[in-house]
């Protein structure tokens, strides 16, 4: 096959990380080619945040990222911050609003973010080819050679920005890991994160019956994870931000601990009510602080329902304890089909945290979700994509 014009940089994947990397490298005068197998750029950006793109978070810090090496993300996150991305938005007259917990959404919606990134690429002279499948990658005489369905290309720097395999119906794959393996780099297998939990049919027909659609604020913990957000009952199990967040810390067989009354001392609250309203039933008083259906269900399946005056001290204490530490063991998760991101990726020990270049394969870079760095829900993952893309863009 004929070898086309050589490039300084070829970036595989025109998603969040690839687009910012391309624009950054192009502005440095590098001849950049951006390849993507999809028919349009930034598909995950377009569907993110319910179409409004939760593009960053004001509270970005390394503790909000999961990785086998929690220090790896520090350098990139410190060098390209949420404020840097906001400067870019201002330059393109885009505005934003904070929804909750530092989450920033674009007022002009997700397509405006993709248009902004593409405008940056276009102004930097980046070439783009869509609908391009990568058939083979090889390296010889310090250059990478790519065979694709759109011809052959050569480059001195090859950036893998093909993301993770969550939402496979969008064409997402673990391509990045295959490239890493080809060049002898270690990886941590991808697994679903920020994903709803599923429960056994017995649980769904019993404890959870009739609760689908009910949402309540909770504090949830599992392993090292702890989040205070909303929990949502679904037809398959549990979702909502609290459960999505904790799913990243969950391992099969483990229980999640749910505080249904965060910030309230359940025992002293129940003891006070016992004195004030001894004839009131537990399900009635619980319905004052929990969604009615959940209060009813708890009193049908978990707690014995009686007038408060009929509970002894021990039972009241045990109810209070369960309200603060309700333990549920999910059967599994909905998997990559609905996961917002994936844990795992290229082992960070193989990469420079400054440049994102493979330590033993000069010229090969990995950025974004392909790398073993996974953020919390709420704009953290895009910030990692921007930061890692920008940093690699300085060195390619
Ligand atoms: P990204 O997935 O963006 O891009 C990868 C690109 O590579 C794609 O364009 C793909 O077509 C291409 N590609 C894949 N394989 C290829 C191959 N073999 N050859 C060529 N090209 C290939 N995060 C956040 O911070 N805030 C939010 O609001 C949301 N919301 C959200 C909603 C939903 C439904 C999902 C699925 C995800 C989110 N996320 C999010 C996560 C966020 O989308 C994700 O972390 C980033 O898009 C990752 O950026 P990357 O550039 O690494 O991959």
């Amino acid at each position: 096959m004929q070898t086309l014009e050589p490039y300084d940089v070829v970036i595989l994947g025109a998603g969040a990380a690839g687009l910012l990397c391309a624009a950054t490298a192009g502005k440095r005068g590098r001849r950049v080619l951006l390849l993507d197998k999809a028919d349009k750029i930034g598909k995950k950006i377009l569907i993110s945040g319910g179409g409004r793109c939760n593009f960053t978070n004001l509270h970005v810090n390394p503790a909000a990222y999961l990785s086998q090496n929690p220090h790896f993300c520090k350098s990139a996150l410190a060098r390209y911050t949420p404020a840097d991305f906001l400067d870019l938005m201002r330059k393109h007259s885009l505005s934003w609003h904070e929804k909750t917990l530092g989450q920033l959404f674009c007022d002009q919606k997700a397509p405006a973010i993709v248009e902004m990134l593409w405008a940056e690429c276009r102004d930097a002279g980046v070439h783009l080819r869509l609908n391009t499948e990568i058939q083979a990658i090889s390296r010889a005489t310090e250059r990478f050679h790519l065979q694709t369905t759109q011809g052959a290309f050569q480059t001195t720097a090859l950036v893998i920005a093909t993301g993770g395999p969550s939402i496979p119906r969008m064409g997402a794959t673990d391509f990045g890991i295959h490239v890493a393996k080809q060049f002898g780099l270690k990886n941590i297998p991808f697994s679903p994160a920020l994903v709803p939990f599923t429960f056994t049919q017995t649980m769904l027909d019993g404890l959870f019956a009739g609760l689908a659609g009910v949402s309540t604020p909770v504090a949830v913990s599992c392993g090292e994870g702890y989040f205070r957000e909303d929990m949502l009952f679904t037809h398959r199990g549990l979702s909502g931000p609290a459960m999505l967040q904790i799913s990243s810390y969950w391992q099969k067989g483990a229980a999640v601990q749910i505080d249904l009354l965060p910030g309230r001392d359940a025992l002293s609250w129940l003891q006070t009510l016992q004195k004030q309203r001894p004839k009131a039933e537990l399900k009635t008083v619980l319905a004052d602080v929990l969604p009615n259906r959940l209060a009813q269900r708890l009193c049908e399946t978990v707690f014995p329902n009686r007038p408060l005056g009929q509970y002894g001290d021990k039972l009241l204490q045990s109810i209070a304890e369960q309200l603060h530490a309700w333990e549920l063991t999910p059967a599994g998760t909905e998997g990559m089909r609905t996961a917002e991101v994936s844990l795992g990726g290229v082992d960070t020990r193989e990469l420079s945290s400054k440049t994102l270049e493979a330590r033993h394969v000069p010229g090969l870079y990995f950025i974004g979700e392909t790398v073993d760095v996974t953020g919390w829900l709420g704009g953290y993952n895009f910030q990692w994509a921007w930061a890692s893309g920008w940093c690699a863009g300085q060195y390619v």
Side-chain angles (χ1 to χ4, degrees), residues 63-68 191-197 220-227 240-252 254 256 330 332-333 339-344 369 372-378 380-381:
Y65 292 85
L66 289 88
S67 169
Q68 302 248 322
S191 60
L194 302 183
V195 62
F197 287 121
V220 62
S221 54
C222 183
E224 288 174 12
Y226 172 86
F227 297 93
M243 292 299 137
L244 297 180
Q245 295 278 34
I246 209 70
S247 73
S248 301
Y249 292 82
W250 179 80
Q251 292 191 342
K252 200 159 175 62
V256 292
T333 71
E340 190 163 308
V341 285
S342 36
L343 287 168
E369 201 179 324
D372 173 34
V373 174
T374 306
W376 288 350
L377 186 78
Y380 294 94
N381 284 297

Side-chain angles (χ1 to χ4, degrees), residues 12-18 35-38 42 44 47-49 53-54 132 134 161-163 166-167 171 173 175 339-341 367-370 379-382 385:
L12 306 186
L35 299 178
D36 202 297
K37 70 181 179 124
K44 279 194 181 167
I47 60 160
S48 66
C53 188
N54 176 198
T132 306
I134 315 302
T162 49
S166 70
I167 321 272
T173 65
F175 180 83
E340 190 163 308
V341 285
I367 57 175
E369 201 179 324
T370 309
Y380 294 94
N381 284 297
F382 277 137

Side-chain angles (χ1 to χ4, degrees), residues 243-310:
M243 292 299 137
L244 297 180
Q245 295 278 34
I246 209 70
S247 73
S248 301
Y249 292 82
W250 179 80
Q251 292 191 342
K252 200 159 175 62
V256 292
Q257 217 171 55
I258 302 164
D259 183 348
L260 289 167
L261 297 177
R264 184 187 287 268
D265 180 340
L267 183 58
S268 55
W269 172 68
L270 285 171
Q271 283 168 335
T272 307
L273 285 174
Q274 198 175 35
K275 286 187 198 117
Q276 292 172 347
R277 299 166 62 191
K279 288 192 179 139
E281 290 186 11
L282 181 64
K283 68 179 180 191
T284 311
V285 298
L286 277 184
D288 290 341
V289 290
L290 291 173
N292 190 24
R293 269 194 281 164
L294 177 58
Q296 299 281 333
R297 206 72 202 114
L298 286 171
C299 290
E300 282 158 10
T301 57
V302 182
F303 311 130
N305 184 53
R306 302 177 189 159
L308 291 182
Q310 293 182 18

Side-chain angles (χ1 to χ4, degrees), residues 65-133:
Y65 292 85
L66 289 88
S67 169
Q68 302 248 322
N69 174 6
H71 302 293
F72 182 82
C73 62
K74 288 181 179 171
S75 171
L77 292 175
R79 281 178 297 143
Y80 191 87
T81 65
D84 291 314
F85 199 80
L86 294 182
D87 284 344
L88 187 60
M89 302 257 300
R90 275 189 206 99
K91 179 180 157 195
H92 289 261
S93 304
L94 296 184
S95 53
W96 58 86
H97 61 278
E98 181 184 348
K99 227 180 189 175
T100 172
L101 302 170
Q103 301 170 5
L104 299 189
F105 287 75
C106 178
D107 292 339
Q108 290 77 15
K109 304 202 177 154
I113 299 269
V114 176
E115 279 159 30
M116 170 186 82
L117 292 167
W118 177 241
E120 289 286 303
C121 287
R122 201 183 44 224
D123 293 351
V126 172
H127 292 184
L128 171 69
R129 288 200 187 217
L130 295 171
N131 301 305
T132 306
E133 291 277 352

